Amino acid sequence: MSFRTADGANYQGRDASGHERFSVSIPYDEHGYFGRECPACQQIFRMNGEDYDALPDDLELICPYCGHRDEHSEFMTTEQRDRVMRVAQDAAMQLVTKALDKSFGSMARSTRNNRFVTVTCRSKPFYPQPLPGIDEERLVRERTCVECGVRYAVFGEHRFCPVSGALGASVVAEDALSAERIKLAALDDIPAEQRAVLREQGVFDRIAVDTLGRVVGIVEAFASSEFRRRVPTADAILKGRGNVFQRLDDTADLFAAQLDVNPRVAPDLDWEVLRRLWAARHAHVHADGRVDEKYLRAVPTTSLKVGQRIVVSSRDALSAIDLAAALCEVLGDRTI
């Protein structure tokens, strides 16, 4: 049997199991990308079509957001699935028509007894409608995995390459710090009237503090990953030391002792400013932002007194981002 198919679909014959087989094209966008949708978290990402076509058929795809692994076919987007289903529906319609033609073609066209009704069936040629198009989220920027070279695009925070898996610590840190910069820059686009309301409510102050906390967390994750990657006995050295990489001086001591990397003396890295910002973050997390004895030990040159509140400005937040990027570059072996 042959099937009529719309442009973008082709009948490929019957397989060994007796199933009819069709191929359905998934069009690329103007950049050569097409969408994938994770069956676990339902988030969309895009992959370069040329790179994707070169992948082995049996390679499992990885969701860049949640890390779910599955067969390629499980990552079809809703619009792609609708396109495939249209071909299946067209084929089913033609199979039904063929079956009806065969059945009614063998029936008598008339009877001698008028108690019976003569049934006739005249089918018309089937002309499939054009397949549904694909209009998915547009490419923002092209990313290239440093491990496998596959090009892809994401629309949110991600931790995995769709092919090679978990991203390196430097890539994660770079993305995270970039996101913090963009977040702060976006505040400038808020209309003046709304800015006044937000400022009065302390929203900008809160964002600056939250950004500082995020930056400390980014450095902590990066330093931990780098230390464990490069020091074979890391687990034994770190045992019982808690969140050591959250503490700036302890981090410096570890890298100096185990990897001969001393960030305290690195050029263009103001260690005293880093210590002040890290101490401010600790005070806001553990002391409602008020100066305590621990803050005074970390920042002995401060003019603030115990009980005073530490103000973290947007300038402080930006400085923290820049210094964190420089610190990660010193601690790692790749540029952030």
PDB file of all heavy atoms in Angstrom, residues 89-111:
ATOM      1  N   GLN A  89      -2.336  10.538  11.863  1.00  0.00           N
ATOM      2  CA  GLN A  89      -3.775  10.658  11.614  1.00  0.00           C
ATOM      3  C   GLN A  89      -4.085  10.556  10.128  1.00  0.00           C
ATOM      4  O   GLN A  89      -5.068   9.906   9.726  1.00  0.00           O
ATOM      5  CB  GLN A  89      -4.284  11.988  12.172  1.00  0.00           C
ATOM      6  CG  GLN A  89      -4.285  12.045  13.700  1.00  0.00           C
ATOM      7  CD  GLN A  89      -4.413  13.461  14.224  1.00  0.00           C
ATOM      8  OE1 GLN A  89      -4.554  14.425  13.458  1.00  0.00           O
ATOM      9  NE2 GLN A  89      -4.363  13.607  15.546  1.00  0.00           N
ATOM     10  N   ASP A  90      -3.248  11.178   9.304  1.00  0.00           N
ATOM     11  CA  ASP A  90      -3.451  11.086   7.847  1.00  0.00           C
ATOM     12  C   ASP A  90      -3.313   9.639   7.375  1.00  0.00           C
ATOM     13  O   ASP A  90      -4.093   9.167   6.540  1.00  0.00           O
ATOM     14  CB  ASP A  90      -2.423  11.966   7.118  1.00  0.00           C
ATOM     15  CG  ASP A  90      -2.725  13.450   7.271  1.00  0.00           C
ATOM     16  OD1 ASP A  90      -3.832  13.789   7.747  1.00  0.00           O
ATOM     17  OD2 ASP A  90      -1.855  14.266   6.918  1.00  0.00           O
ATOM     18  N   ALA A  91      -2.309   8.936   7.923  1.00  0.00           N
ATOM     19  CA  ALA A  91      -2.121   7.535   7.535  1.00  0.00           C
ATOM     20  C   ALA A  91      -3.315   6.687   7.983  1.00  0.00           C
ATOM     21  O   ALA A  91      -3.794   5.822   7.237  1.00  0.00           O
ATOM     22  CB  ALA A  91      -0.828   7.000   8.142  1.00  0.00           C
ATOM     23  N   ALA A  92      -3.812   6.938   9.206  1.00  0.00           N
ATOM     24  CA  ALA A  92      -4.951   6.179   9.717  1.00  0.00           C
ATOM     25  C   ALA A  92      -6.187   6.421   8.847  1.00  0.00           C
ATOM     26  O   ALA A  92      -6.946   5.481   8.547  1.00  0.00           O
ATOM     27  CB  ALA A  92      -5.228   6.576  11.159  1.00  0.00           C
ATOM     28  N   MET A  93      -6.392   7.648   8.430  1.00  0.00           N
ATOM     29  CA  MET A  93      -7.533   7.963   7.573  1.00  0.00           C
ATOM     30  C   MET A  93      -7.457   7.195   6.250  1.00  0.00           C
ATOM     31  O   MET A  93      -8.463   6.648   5.756  1.00  0.00           O
ATOM     32  CB  MET A  93      -7.580   9.470   7.301  1.00  0.00           C
ATOM     33  CG  MET A  93      -8.735   9.898   6.411  1.00  0.00           C
ATOM     34  SD  MET A  93     -10.354   9.592   7.147  1.00  0.00           S
ATOM     35  CE  MET A  93     -10.343  10.865   8.427  1.00  0.00           C
ATOM     36  N   GLN A  94      -6.268   7.103   5.697  1.00  0.00           N
ATOM     37  CA  GLN A  94      -6.113   6.385   4.435  1.00  0.00           C
ATOM     38  C   GLN A  94      -6.275   4.875   4.624  1.00  0.00           C
ATOM     39  O   GLN A  94      -6.821   4.192   3.754  1.00  0.00           O
ATOM     40  CB  GLN A  94      -4.748   6.717   3.828  1.00  0.00           C
ATOM     41  CG  GLN A  94      -4.650   8.183   3.383  1.00  0.00           C
ATOM     42  CD  GLN A  94      -3.274   8.545   2.871  1.00  0.00           C
ATOM     43  OE1 GLN A  94      -2.889   8.158   1.759  1.00  0.00           O
ATOM     44  NE2 GLN A  94      -2.538   9.301   3.662  1.00  0.00           N
ATOM     45  N   LEU A  95      -5.838   4.358   5.763  1.00  0.00           N
ATOM     46  CA  LEU A  95      -6.040   2.929   6.044  1.00  0.00           C
ATOM     47  C   LEU A  95      -7.526   2.611   6.195  1.00  0.00           C
ATOM     48  O   LEU A  95      -8.008   1.584   5.690  1.00  0.00           O
ATOM     49  CB  LEU A  95      -5.293   2.533   7.319  1.00  0.00           C
ATOM     50  CG  LEU A  95      -3.772   2.397   7.205  1.00  0.00           C
ATOM     51  CD1 LEU A  95      -3.148   2.236   8.591  1.00  0.00           C
ATOM     52  CD2 LEU A  95      -3.401   1.218   6.307  1.00  0.00           C
ATOM     53  N   VAL A  96      -8.254   3.488   6.870  1.00  0.00           N
ATOM     54  CA  VAL A  96      -9.699   3.285   7.030  1.00  0.00           C
ATOM     55  C   VAL A  96     -10.397   3.348   5.684  1.00  0.00           C
ATOM     56  O   VAL A  96     -11.260   2.518   5.355  1.00  0.00           O
ATOM     57  CB  VAL A  96     -10.280   4.333   7.998  1.00  0.00           C
ATOM     58  CG1 VAL A  96     -11.809   4.307   7.962  1.00  0.00           C
ATOM     59  CG2 VAL A  96      -9.777   4.082   9.411  1.00  0.00           C
ATOM     60  N   THR A  97     -10.034   4.325   4.875  1.00  0.00           N
ATOM     61  CA  THR A  97     -10.636   4.459   3.548  1.00  0.00           C
ATOM     62  C   THR A  97     -10.360   3.233   2.691  1.00  0.00           C
ATOM     63  O   THR A  97     -11.242   2.720   1.989  1.00  0.00           O
ATOM     64  CB  THR A  97     -10.097   5.719   2.843  1.00  0.00           C
ATOM     65  OG1 THR A  97     -10.395   6.867   3.644  1.00  0.00           O
ATOM     66  CG2 THR A  97     -10.723   5.893   1.472  1.00  0.00           C
ATOM     67  N   LYS A  98      -9.119   2.742   2.761  1.00  0.00           N
ATOM     68  CA  LYS A  98      -8.744   1.550   2.006  1.00  0.00           C
ATOM     69  C   LYS A  98      -9.578   0.346   2.452  1.00  0.00           C
ATOM     70  O   LYS A  98     -10.081  -0.437   1.623  1.00  0.00           O
ATOM     71  CB  LYS A  98      -7.258   1.260   2.226  1.00  0.00           C
ATOM     72  CG  LYS A  98      -6.741   0.023   1.512  1.00  0.00           C
ATOM     73  CD  LYS A  98      -6.574   0.253   0.033  1.00  0.00           C
ATOM     74  CE  LYS A  98      -5.870  -0.916  -0.621  1.00  0.00           C
ATOM     75  NZ  LYS A  98      -5.702  -0.733  -2.070  1.00  0.00           N
ATOM     76  N   ALA A  99      -9.752   0.208   3.776  1.00  0.00           N
ATOM     77  CA  ALA A  99     -10.531  -0.906   4.299  1.00  0.00           C
ATOM     78  C   ALA A  99     -11.990  -0.813   3.877  1.00  0.00           C
ATOM     79  O   ALA A  99     -12.623  -1.818   3.521  1.00  0.00           O
ATOM     80  CB  ALA A  99     -10.419  -0.940   5.822  1.00  0.00           C
ATOM     81  N   LEU A 100     -12.551   0.381   3.887  1.00  0.00           N
ATOM     82  CA  LEU A 100     -13.939   0.569   3.478  1.00  0.00           C
ATOM     83  C   LEU A 100     -14.108   0.265   1.992  1.00  0.00           C
ATOM     84  O   LEU A 100     -15.089  -0.372   1.573  1.00  0.00           O
ATOM     85  CB  LEU A 100     -14.391   1.994   3.790  1.00  0.00           C
ATOM     86  CG  LEU A 100     -14.586   2.326   5.276  1.00  0.00           C
ATOM     87  CD1 LEU A 100     -14.870   3.810   5.450  1.00  0.00           C
ATOM     88  CD2 LEU A 100     -15.710   1.494   5.873  1.00  0.00           C
ATOM     89  N   ASP A 101     -13.162   0.733   1.196  1.00  0.00           N
ATOM     90  CA  ASP A 101     -13.237   0.462  -0.243  1.00  0.00           C
ATOM     91  C   ASP A 101     -13.223  -1.042  -0.496  1.00  0.00           C
ATOM     92  O   ASP A 101     -13.978  -1.564  -1.327  1.00  0.00           O
ATOM     93  CB  ASP A 101     -12.054   1.113  -0.968  1.00  0.00           C
ATOM     94  CG  ASP A 101     -12.228   2.617  -1.105  1.00  0.00           C
ATOM     95  OD1 ASP A 101     -13.357   3.098  -0.886  1.00  0.00           O
ATOM     96  OD2 ASP A 101     -11.241   3.298  -1.426  1.00  0.00           O
ATOM     97  N   LYS A 102     -12.385  -1.741   0.233  1.00  0.00           N
ATOM     98  CA  LYS A 102     -12.277  -3.184   0.049  1.00  0.00           C
ATOM     99  C   LYS A 102     -13.558  -3.889   0.487  1.00  0.00           C
ATOM    100  O   LYS A 102     -14.056  -4.789  -0.201  1.00  0.00           O
ATOM    101  CB  LYS A 102     -11.090  -3.714   0.847  1.00  0.00           C
ATOM    102  CG  LYS A 102     -10.840  -5.204   0.660  1.00  0.00           C
ATOM    103  CD  LYS A 102      -9.602  -5.637   1.422  1.00  0.00           C
ATOM    104  CE  LYS A 102      -9.341  -7.130   1.241  1.00  0.00           C
ATOM    105  NZ  LYS A 102      -8.132  -7.578   1.978  1.00  0.00           N
ATOM    106  N   SER A 103     -14.111  -3.456   1.594  1.00  0.00           N
ATOM    107  CA  SER A 103     -15.321  -4.099   2.119  1.00  0.00           C
ATOM    108  C   SER A 103     -16.523  -3.852   1.229  1.00  0.00           C
ATOM    109  O   SER A 103     -17.239  -4.774   0.826  1.00  0.00           O
ATOM    110  CB  SER A 103     -15.614  -3.592   3.535  1.00  0.00           C
ATOM    111  OG  SER A 103     -14.587  -3.963   4.420  1.00  0.00           O
ATOM    112  N   PHE A 104     -16.756  -2.604   0.905  1.00  0.00           N
ATOM    113  CA  PHE A 104     -17.933  -2.274   0.119  1.00  0.00           C
ATOM    114  C   PHE A 104     -17.777  -2.678  -1.333  1.00  0.00           C
ATOM    115  O   PHE A 104     -18.755  -2.900  -2.041  1.00  0.00           O
ATOM    116  CB  PHE A 104     -18.251  -0.776   0.238  1.00  0.00           C
ATOM    117  CG  PHE A 104     -18.892  -0.420   1.547  1.00  0.00           C
ATOM    118  CD1 PHE A 104     -18.179   0.263   2.508  1.00  0.00           C
ATOM    119  CD2 PHE A 104     -20.202  -0.791   1.819  1.00  0.00           C
ATOM    120  CE1 PHE A 104     -18.767   0.589   3.726  1.00  0.00           C
ATOM    121  CE2 PHE A 104     -20.783  -0.454   3.033  1.00  0.00           C
ATOM    122  CZ  PHE A 104     -20.077   0.237   3.991  1.00  0.00           C
ATOM    123  N   GLY A 105     -16.541  -2.795  -1.794  1.00  0.00           N
ATOM    124  CA  GLY A 105     -16.345  -3.227  -3.179  1.00  0.00           C
ATOM    125  C   GLY A 105     -16.795  -4.658  -3.389  1.00  0.00           C
ATOM    126  O   GLY A 105     -17.152  -5.052  -4.509  1.00  0.00           O
ATOM    127  N   SER A 106     -16.803  -5.475  -2.313  1.00  0.00           N
ATOM    128  CA  SER A 106     -17.202  -6.874  -2.456  1.00  0.00           C
ATOM    129  C   SER A 106     -18.681  -7.103  -2.148  1.00  0.00           C
ATOM    130  O   SER A 106     -19.192  -8.203  -2.275  1.00  0.00           O
ATOM    131  CB  SER A 106     -16.360  -7.738  -1.495  1.00  0.00           C
ATOM    132  OG  SER A 106     -16.627  -7.365  -0.151  1.00  0.00           O
ATOM    133  N   MET A 107     -19.393  -6.053  -1.742  1.00  0.00           N
ATOM    134  CA  MET A 107     -20.822  -6.192  -1.432  1.00  0.00           C
ATOM    135  C   MET A 107     -21.672  -6.013  -2.678  1.00  0.00           C
ATOM    136  O   MET A 107     -21.275  -5.310  -3.619  1.00  0.00           O
ATOM    137  CB  MET A 107     -21.236  -5.154  -0.377  1.00  0.00           C
ATOM    138  CG  MET A 107     -20.636  -5.403   1.005  1.00  0.00           C
ATOM    139  SD  MET A 107     -21.157  -4.170   2.186  1.00  0.00           S
ATOM    140  CE  MET A 107     -22.925  -4.447   2.202  1.00  0.00           C
ATOM    141  N   ALA A 108     -22.793  -6.635  -2.659  1.00  0.00           N
ATOM    142  CA  ALA A 108     -23.726  -6.478  -3.793  1.00  0.00           C
ATOM    143  C   ALA A 108     -24.224  -5.051  -3.837  1.00  0.00           C
ATOM    144  O   ALA A 108     -24.504  -4.446  -2.800  1.00  0.00           O
ATOM    145  CB  ALA A 108     -24.903  -7.439  -3.646  1.00  0.00           C
ATOM    146  N   ARG A 109     -24.348  -4.565  -5.036  1.00  0.00           N
ATOM    147  CA  ARG A 109     -24.814  -3.190  -5.207  1.00  0.00           C
ATOM    148  C   ARG A 109     -26.336  -3.085  -5.180  1.00  0.00           C
ATOM    149  O   ARG A 109     -26.887  -2.015  -5.095  1.00  0.00           O
ATOM    150  CB  ARG A 109     -24.277  -2.622  -6.535  1.00  0.00           C
ATOM    151  CG  ARG A 109     -22.756  -2.525  -6.587  1.00  0.00           C
ATOM    152  CD  ARG A 109     -22.209  -1.576  -5.536  1.00  0.00           C
ATOM    153  NE  ARG A 109     -20.757  -1.474  -5.604  1.00  0.00           N
ATOM    154  CZ  ARG A 109     -20.027  -0.702  -4.830  1.00  0.00           C
ATOM    155  NH1 ARG A 109     -20.620   0.013  -3.909  1.00  0.00           N
ATOM    156  NH2 ARG A 109     -18.716  -0.678  -4.937  1.00  0.00           N
ATOM    157  N   SER A 110     -27.028  -4.202  -5.253  1.00  0.00           N
ATOM    158  CA  SER A 110     -28.496  -4.151  -5.212  1.00  0.00           C
ATOM    159  C   SER A 110     -29.009  -5.484  -4.696  1.00  0.00           C
ATOM    160  O   SER A 110     -28.291  -6.473  -4.656  1.00  0.00           O
ATOM    161  CB  SER A 110     -29.071  -3.868  -6.603  1.00  0.00           C
ATOM    162  OG  SER A 110     -28.742  -4.922  -7.492  1.00  0.00           O
ATOM    163  N   THR A 111     -30.276  -5.542  -4.306  1.00  0.00           N
ATOM    164  CA  THR A 111     -30.901  -6.769  -3.827  1.00  0.00           C
ATOM    165  C   THR A 111     -32.242  -6.930  -4.501  1.00  0.00           C
ATOM    166  O   THR A 111     -32.852  -5.968  -4.974  1.00  0.00           O
ATOM    167  CB  THR A 111     -31.083  -6.730  -2.307  1.00  0.00           C
ATOM    168  OG1 THR A 111     -32.024  -5.695  -1.975  1.00  0.00           O
ATOM    169  CG2 THR A 111     -29.773  -6.460  -1.590  1.00  0.00           C
TER     170      THR A 111
END
